[in-house]
Amino acid sequence: MNKVMTRTRRTQGTRPPVRHDTRRPGGTAPRTTPRGTPGAPRARTGVLAPPQPRPTDVFADRLVEVLSGHRPVHSMLRHTAGRAYDELARLAEHSPLRTRGTRPFVRDIGYYVARPGAVEAFARIGAGDQLRAMAFRLEQGPDLRWRCTAVELGGTRTPSPQDD
């Protein structure tokens, strides 16, 4: 009777024995299928990669940090398009989400897909016993990166000098 698997006695602190595959000729790399296809090898079995956050979640957190004064406005320069940076800079001048003691955070977020490549999102911002509303629009550019194209924070929208 041939044994299928043998176990060797290991002492603590030593590595397990190296597996030698006799079916493969010396030193050639094993064949693999393209990633994502059925039968493709996984790096680890049973371990799932953490889910990627949605762009709406990422942008909501970034906008809250800017509007609360915990992050500089210019950090959003490459993540905005059109007049959104000007709107954000005008809002951030007054630090409307700055609070004493508790740091503001995104309590709830929702979104509406206006068209493929455009998302309108709203978020409820909590800081202590205060609750504020924020709305923003994200559009996907030709380089497939999401950029913020509009920002509004609670209440009425203040008209900019360029608006007619």
Side-chain angles (χ1 to χ4, degrees):
M1 178 168 150
N2 293 333
K3 287 186 178 180
V4 176
M5 184 159 101
T6 60
R7 295 179 185 237
T8 58
R9 181 177 286 185
R10 288 180 38 195
T11 60
Q12 198 156 15
T14 62
R15 296 178 60 200
V18 180
R19 178 174 179 241
H20 297 284
D21 193 351
T22 57
R23 296 172 290 173
R24 197 171 300 128
T28 60
R31 286 188 225 151
T32 60
T33 56
R35 189 176 182 156
T37 59
R42 289 191 233 166
R44 291 181 178 171
T45 56
V47 178
L48 297 175
Q52 293 293 328
R54 292 186 298 252
T56 53
D57 299 342
V58 172
F59 273 89
D61 288 334
R62 287 179 182 167
L63 290 171
V64 167
E65 288 177 354
V66 168
L67 295 173
S68 64
H70 290 102
R71 185 179 203 158
V73 180
H74 68 269
S75 67
M76 291 296 292
L77 188 58
R78 65 182 217 165
H79 302 291
T80 56
R83 293 192 321 206
Y85 182 77
D86 297 333
E87 292 173 16
L88 186 59
R90 189 170 31 263
L91 285 171
E93 281 178 11
H94 307 291
S95 297
L97 296 180
R98 184 179 298 256
T99 58
R100 288 192 177 153
T102 59
R103 190 174 184 154
F105 63 97
V106 178
R107 288 183 66 170
D108 188 24
I109 190 164
Y111 62 93
Y112 169 73
V113 179
R115 63 174 170 78
V119 175
E120 294 178 355
F122 59 90
R124 292 180 188 94
I125 312 301
D129 59 348
Q130 294 181 352
L131 188 63
R132 301 285 304 264
M134 179 175 64
F136 56 97
R137 181 179 174 95
L138 300 178
E139 292 187 14
Q140 197 171 28
D143 58 353
L144 300 180
R145 289 182 41 192
W146 290 95
R147 289 183 178 83
C148 184
T149 57
V151 180
E152 290 184 18
L153 184 66
T156 60
R157 181 174 172 247
T158 56
S160 66
Q162 294 88 13
D163 287 344
D164 292 333

